[in-house]
Amino acid sequence: DGGITQSPKYLFRKEGQNVTLSCEQNLNHDAMYWYRQDPGQGLRLIYYSQIVNDFQKGDIAEGYSVSREKKESFPLTVTSAQKNPTAFYLCASSGAPDTEAFFGQGTRLTVV
Amino acid sequence: KNQVEQSPQSLIILEGKNCTLQCNYTVSPFSNLRWYKQDTGRGPVSLTIMTFSENTKSNGRYTATLDADTKQSSLHITASQLSDSASYICVVSPGGYNKLIFGAGTRLAVHP
């Protein structure tokens, strides 16, 4: 069953702690993306990766880090430097430039 | 500045009725325009993707139109069902991996 899987669905973090969100895809897609969604706003790009061992900053990369050691996996770490991390995080993948992007089910991160 | 504006912000209709959602964009260059459906707390799911030369595209009860001259698109939902209750997001691509521009979405509620 092909698709893109994010885990966990809900995540709670204490202020000052780093936390890592998982994203795995078995669609054999080269490109993977992380977006942040806040109420009343469009999705904003955090990081993207076009190929293994390479990634680029998006529009709001400050306070976040990523790695792309495997084609199937693109984990996102929310560091303590991110001032307002509470949000809904979406991972996506696509097979080629400018083709349809497939989204995971999202992770809702809450800082307590 | 590349922007995607959607209207209305929210909409309530009765089951069985039709509705039309609007999307205006100022993105340049233009490669394609996409409509996504996002259920609450879930990832977006693609409905349609249209290139410059396409004026209309249907997906079941969903019909999207595109006027590239006026930079406007609409999504028409026919014979609405309760399961159509969701946010509908308009996305414009100038091309390439990293430059999708997202609208804030229209939140549709279908009541019995």
Side-chain angles (χ1 to χ4, degrees), chain A residues 55-72:
Chain A
F55 49 83
Q56 305 295 329
K57 292 182 178 180
D59 300 320
I60 55 166
E62 185 174 353
Y64 300 98
S65 66
V66 294
S67 63
R68 188 82 187 277
E69 297 177 0
K70 298 187 300 182
K71 186 175 185 178
E72 302 79 16

Side-chain angles (χ1 to χ4, degrees), chain A residues 9-102:
Chain A
K9 188 171 177 63
Y10 300 97
L11 191 54
F12 295 88
R13 189 196 88 177
K14 292 183 178 180
E15 282 191 22
Q17 289 182 336
N18 294 353
V19 63
T20 298
L21 283 59
S22 171
C23 179
E24 304 275 336
Q25 56 98 0
N26 60 7
L27 301 168
N28 200 33
H29 285 170
D30 286 319
M32 297 187 74
Y33 316 79
W34 274 105
Y35 292 93
R36 171 180 172 141
Q37 188 174 35
D38 294 286
Q41 297 187 37
L43 274 68
R44 292 182 290 168
L45 182 65
I46 304 172
Y47 268 97
Y48 68 100
S49 170
Q50 299 178 17
I51 198 168
V52 175
N53 292 322
D54 184 63
F55 49 83
Q56 305 295 329
K57 292 182 178 180
D59 300 320
I60 55 166
E62 185 174 353
Y64 300 98
S65 66
V66 294
S67 63
R68 188 82 187 277
E69 297 177 0
K70 298 187 300 182
K71 186 175 185 178
E72 302 79 16
S73 179
F74 191 42
L76 172 74
T77 297
V78 184
T79 75
S80 56
Q82 169 49 235
K83 298 304 180 188
N84 185 23
T86 295
F88 190 53
Y89 291 88
L90 285 161
C91 180
S93 70
S94 66
D98 211 22
T99 58
E100 182 178 351
F102 293 85

Side-chain angles (χ1 to χ4, degrees), chain B residues 71-91:
Chain B
K71 298 188 176 182
Q72 295 180 324
S73 176
S74 66
L75 181 69
H76 186 75
I77 304 174
T78 303
S80 61
Q81 300 176 359
L82 298 179
S83 59
D84 292 331
S85 295
S87 288
Y88 292 85
I89 303 172
C90 177
V91 185

Side-chain angles (χ1 to χ4, degrees), chain A residues 9 30-31 33 35 37 40-43 45 48 50 88 90 94 96-101 103-106 108, chain B residues 9 31-32 34 36 38 41-47 49 89 93-100 102-105:
Chain A
K9 188 171 177 63
D30 286 319
Y33 316 79
Y35 292 93
Q37 188 174 35
Q41 297 187 37
L43 274 68
L45 182 65
Y48 68 100
Q50 299 178 17
F88 190 53
L90 285 161
S94 66
D98 211 22
T99 58
E100 182 178 351
F103 286 85
Q105 292 305 301
R108 185 166 298 281
Chain B
Q9 195 171 44
S31 178
N32 58 69
R34 314 164 186 205
Y36 283 86
Q38 185 178 22
R42 308 291 292 266
V45 175
S46 178
L47 294 175
I49 179 169
I89 303 172
S93 172
Y97 277 110
N98 59 320
K99 294 184 181 297
L100 295 180
F102 288 79

